[in-house]
Amino acid sequence: MDIIDRLNWRYATKSFDDKKLVSDKDIKTLSEAFNLTATSYGLQPIKLLIIKDKKLQKELIPFSFNQKQVGEASHVLVFCIETILDETFISNYFERVKSIRNTPEDILNPFKTFLIEDFKNKTQLEKEAWAKNQLYLAMGNLLTVCAMLNIDACPMEGFVPQDYDRLLDLNRQNLKSVLVMPIGYRSENDFMSELKKVRKPLNNSVIFK
């Protein structure tokens, strides 16, 4: 499988075949790929909500600027940030490191102390902006994995986060929605699927020295 061929194949799907569903096996692969995404310091201040409830998907359409693919898709992925990024959150990460790698505390503590102090000096807005950057890494990763699995996807910023958060009860879980990605299989009627991809020439996009 040629990765460039797969990336040329993918596009932001505007119309899904609502009768075709992504398999549980592929959903598990996407879940694991999300969890394996690189994040700053390895802290993973992000969570993924996977929606397959068709009634709930349709309820989200008005909060998605009436983009119908949210209701048609096999699943809707909602990319969220954690809103409580405090000393406990950071300490829990180092506990995982110690448990998985058996790294001694005297080696971990200097970096742990640095991160705790660094995050204490950040405002809530700064913490959330940092966390949001990690979500874009995760979405980019899943877009590529979807292409490799022949799964269509539509990355979206066009939705009302506050309404998603309310309907999905994210506030109670100390989460905020940032990005949305319906996934599934393209409809035969999606005219976008036949259009040529529009990109800059490679020599106007990548600089070699």
Side-chain angles (χ1 to χ4, degrees), residues 145-172:
V145 175
C146 279
M148 299 300 289
L149 294 173
N150 291 320
I151 296 170
D152 288 297
C154 182
M156 293 170 49
E157 292 180 301
F159 71 105
V160 184
Q162 298 87 342
D163 289 325
Y164 264 64
D165 296 352
R166 176 183 53 77
L167 183 62
L168 301 174
D169 198 25
L170 296 179
N171 294 325
R172 188 178 59 82

Side-chain angles (χ1 to χ4, degrees), residues 7-145:
L7 293 176
N8 272 309
W9 170 84
R10 69 144 299 276
Y11 71 105
T13 306
K14 302 303 182 186
S15 181
F16 288 91
D17 185 333
D18 59 7
K19 295 180 175 55
K20 293 182 179 179
L21 300 178
V22 177
S23 69
D24 290 343
K25 178 184 176 183
D26 284 346
I27 291 296
K28 185 173 187 296
T29 298
L30 291 172
S31 301
E32 292 183 1
F34 176 85
N35 198 46
L36 288 169
T37 296
T39 59
S40 179
Y41 305 124
L43 288 176
Q44 293 181 278
I46 57 179
K47 288 196 176 179
L48 182 66
L49 174 63
I50 301 177
I51 302 171
K52 64 176 181 179
D53 183 318
K54 298 305 165 194
K55 179 176 179 293
L56 183 55
Q57 286 177 228
K58 285 181 169 50
E59 290 176 356
L60 289 171
I61 293 175
F63 309 135
S64 311
F65 301 114
N66 293 315
Q67 295 179 85
K68 63 178 184 175
Q69 57 265 46
V70 172
E72 293 175 343
S74 169
H75 295 68
V76 175
L77 311 186
V78 182
F79 294 73
C80 307
I81 58 168
E82 299 206 41
T83 58
I84 299 180
L85 303 172
D86 55 9
E87 181 172 344
T88 299
F89 176 83
I90 293 170
S91 296
N92 287 341
Y93 164 72
F94 283 92
E95 286 300 314
R96 288 194 298 276
V97 175
K98 186 170 70 172
S99 171
I100 293 169
R101 295 179 175 171
N102 295 314
T103 308
E105 285 192 2
D106 60 333
I107 292 177
L108 295 175
N109 281 341
F111 188 38
K112 174 182 174 182
T113 300
F114 162 76
L115 284 182
I116 288 172
E117 290 305 312
D118 185 54
F119 273 74
K120 279 182 181 177
N121 292 325
K122 294 182 189 298
T123 65
Q124 182 64 20
L125 284 177
E126 288 172 332
K127 291 177 185 178
E128 291 186 9
W130 168 80
K132 287 177 182 179
N133 288 340
Q134 316 314 309
L135 274 185
Y136 284 91
L137 292 173
M139 174 175 274
N141 188 29
L142 289 200
L143 279 170
T144 300
V145 175

